[in-house]
């Protein structure tokens, strides 16, 4: 099977957070392309079922049931995958947990847990991957970010902070590798709201069930973006129009976004249904029954998205801004000259 792989498909792909949502979609996408896939998540039962689902697609599948907050466990998992599947070509850091809560209601322990999984989990995964990739002088790490890394919103202070940290870490690591003239590539994908189980098992301190805000995309959209990144090796992809508008809007008018989000983003993240008594969440332990690729917000969820290079989009915004100011300046100059002629 490996010999028939297109040259742009990595032969060995490791995915964290692989048992549900975006991670599950990413693992499935590469398995269908014939890659050998290593799955990381906390739930051994869910991973075993997923291995059975992916095995018929033709590539080898292995899994390690670990918590990405445990650095030693992540390093050991990388060693295991190298021994069982072969040299790691692509490592995708996707594992995350969250708490829907105002900062005034979230506990320090909850905040720390979100940070340890959503941010430090990506740091641990990157370190583990680099430990093997450096020896061969090749490899690619993809970190899963969010539009919320650029624009924090109410009720998600812990998650927004973690994703912002991922963005800063990714940029720092990339420049270190460029300084070393290393061929190892590091990319980040900034995602919009995704229809994943996150909203069914994320811990909440609100009275009503959480929901995605804005346009919603199916997890397979993110998987396709990762698959494209494996070939194009971008520094950063922005996925979906909502991500583009959010990042550009925050570049241009952050104060206006503050006011808009203060008015709309709390109600925009809640359904009309009350939180059920005894609602289970996956903050400290997995919820096996809820592992799936998609969540409960599929009605109207988009199956396709515009995927743009973040660097190119920033350049376009700057160029557009410069053109506007140039035109404005030219217009004011012309008006001034006209007034001068009339006053002579």
């Amino acid at each position: 099977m490996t010999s028939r792989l297109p040259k742009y498909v990595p032969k060995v792909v490791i995915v964290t957070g692989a048992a549900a949502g975006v991670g599950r979609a990413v693992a499935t996408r590469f398995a269908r392309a014939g890659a050998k896939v290593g799955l990381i998540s906390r739930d051994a039962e869910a991973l075993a079922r997923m291995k059975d689902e992916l095995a018929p697609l033709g590539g080898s599948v292995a899994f390690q049931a670990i918590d990405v907050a445990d650095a030693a466990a992540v390093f050991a998992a990388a060693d295991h995958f190298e021994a069982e599947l072969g040299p790691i070509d692509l490592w995708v850091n996707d594992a995350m947990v969250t708490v829907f809560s105002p900062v005034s209601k979230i506990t320090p322990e909850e905040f720390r847990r979100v940070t340890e999984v959503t941010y430090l989990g990506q740091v641990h995964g990157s370190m583990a991957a680099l430990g093997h990739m450096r020896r061969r002088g090749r490899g690619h790490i993809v970190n899963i970010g969010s539009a919320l890394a650029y624009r924090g919103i109410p009720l998600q202070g812990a998650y927004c902070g973690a994703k912002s940290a991922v963005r800063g870490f990714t940029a720092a690591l990339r420049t270190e590798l460029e300084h070393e003239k290393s061929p190892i590539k590091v990319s980040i994908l900034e995602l919009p709201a995704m229809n994943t189980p996150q909203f069914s098992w994320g811990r909440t301190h609100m009275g009503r069930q959480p929901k995605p805000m804005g346009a919603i995309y199916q997890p397979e959209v993110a998987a396709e973006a990762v698959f494209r990144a494996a070939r194009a090796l971008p520094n950063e992809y922005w996925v979906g129009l909502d991500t583009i508008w959010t990042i550009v809007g925050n570049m241009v008018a952050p104060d206006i976004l503050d006011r808009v989000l203060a008015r709309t983003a709390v109600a925009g993240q809640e359904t009309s249904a009350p939180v059920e008594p005894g609602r289970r969440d996956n903050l400290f332990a997995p919820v096996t029954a809820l592992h799936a690729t998609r969540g409960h917000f599929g009605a109207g969820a988009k199956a396709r998205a515009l995927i743009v290079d973040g660097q190119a989009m920033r350049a376009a915004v700057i160029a557009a801004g410069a053109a506007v100011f140039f035109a404005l300046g030219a217009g004011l100059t012309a008006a001034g000259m006209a007034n001068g002629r009339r006053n002579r």
Side-chain angles (χ1 to χ4, degrees):
M1 186 70 181
T2 300
S3 63
R4 299 201 303 272
L5 285 174
K7 65 180 180 180
Y8 58 85
V9 178
K11 296 179 180 179
V12 177
V13 180
I14 311 303
V15 184
T16 74
V22 168
R24 190 183 187 100
V26 169
T28 302
R29 180 66 181 89
F30 281 98
R32 284 179 176 156
K36 298 177 181 178
V37 180
L39 313 172
I40 292 177
S41 184
R42 290 175 295 172
D43 196 312
E45 181 180 341
L47 288 173
R49 288 203 303 262
M50 188 175 177
K51 179 179 179 179
D52 290 341
E53 293 174 11
L54 298 185
L57 299 179
S60 300
V61 182
F63 69 84
Q64 289 284 286
I66 62 166
D67 189 332
V68 294
D70 183 342
V74 178
F75 297 158
D79 293 341
H80 173 85
F81 289 132
E82 281 264 333
E84 183 169 349
L85 299 177
I88 298 169
D89 297 307
L90 175 66
W91 186 292
V92 182
N93 287 306
D94 173 65
M96 56 77 64
V97 293
T98 193
V99 178
F100 297 94
S101 172
V103 173
S104 61
K105 293 184 178 180
I106 191 171
T107 69
E109 292 75 20
E110 291 170 335
F111 208 106
R112 182 182 302 111
R113 176 62 180 167
V114 174
T115 304
E116 287 174 345
V117 175
T118 307
Y119 169 49
L120 290 180
Q122 300 216 26
V123 174
H124 299 158
S126 298
M127 288 178 167
L130 285 170
H132 292 277
M133 293 176 179
R134 282 184 185 278
R135 291 198 291 269
R136 293 186 294 274
R138 63 179 174 84
H140 186 193
I141 298 168
V142 173
N143 290 333
I144 301 299
S146 170
L148 302 187
Y150 286 86
R151 174 67 260 178
I153 63 174
L155 305 186
Q156 296 207 52
Y159 180 82
C160 293
K163 288 298 187 180
S164 295
V166 168
R167 179 174 161 239
F169 165 74
T170 303
L173 177 57
R174 182 187 304 118
T175 53
E176 287 179 7
L177 292 171
E178 289 179 358
H179 171 74
E180 298 168 8
K181 295 181 170 51
S182 170
I184 299 170
K185 185 69 178 178
V186 181
S187 304
I188 187 168
L189 274 59
E190 312 295 4
L191 302 185
M194 310 299 297
N195 177 34
T196 73
Q198 168 187 351
F199 303 94
S200 297
W201 63 19
R203 180 168 292 189
T204 181
H205 294 315
M206 306 302 292
R208 293 180 291 177
Q209 295 278 9
K211 72 178 184 70
M213 182 175 172
I216 306 170
Y217 295 80
Q218 298 290 17
E220 291 83 359
V221 169
E224 195 59 38
V226 175
F227 192 78
R228 183 185 299 186
R231 175 175 53 183
L233 305 178
N235 284 349
E236 183 176 31
Y237 271 159
W238 298 353
V239 182
L241 279 174
D242 270 35
T243 296
I244 296 169
W245 290 126
T246 297
I247 297 175
V248 172
N250 197 61
M251 291 169 59
V252 175
D255 291 345
I256 293 175
L257 274 181
D258 279 348
R259 293 192 289 272
V260 170
L261 290 169
R263 291 196 305 268
T264 64
V266 173
Q269 294 180 81
E270 292 185 292
T271 70
S272 59
V275 173
E276 299 174 357
R279 182 182 192 269
R280 298 179 63 192
D281 65 69
N282 75 335
L283 187 62
F284 291 100
V287 183
T288 301
L290 294 180
H291 281 90
T293 302
R294 296 182 175 184
H296 299 300
F297 296 94
K302 300 181 180 181
R304 295 178 181 273
L306 179 64
I307 302 170
V308 300
D309 186 297
Q311 291 177 307
M313 184 57 66
R314 284 191 194 89
V317 171
I318 293 170
V324 169
F325 281 112
F326 178 81
L328 180 61
L332 291 173
T333 300
M337 293 175 64
N339 286 333
R341 286 195 296 270
R342 284 196 297 269
N343 292 332
R344 283 202 296 268

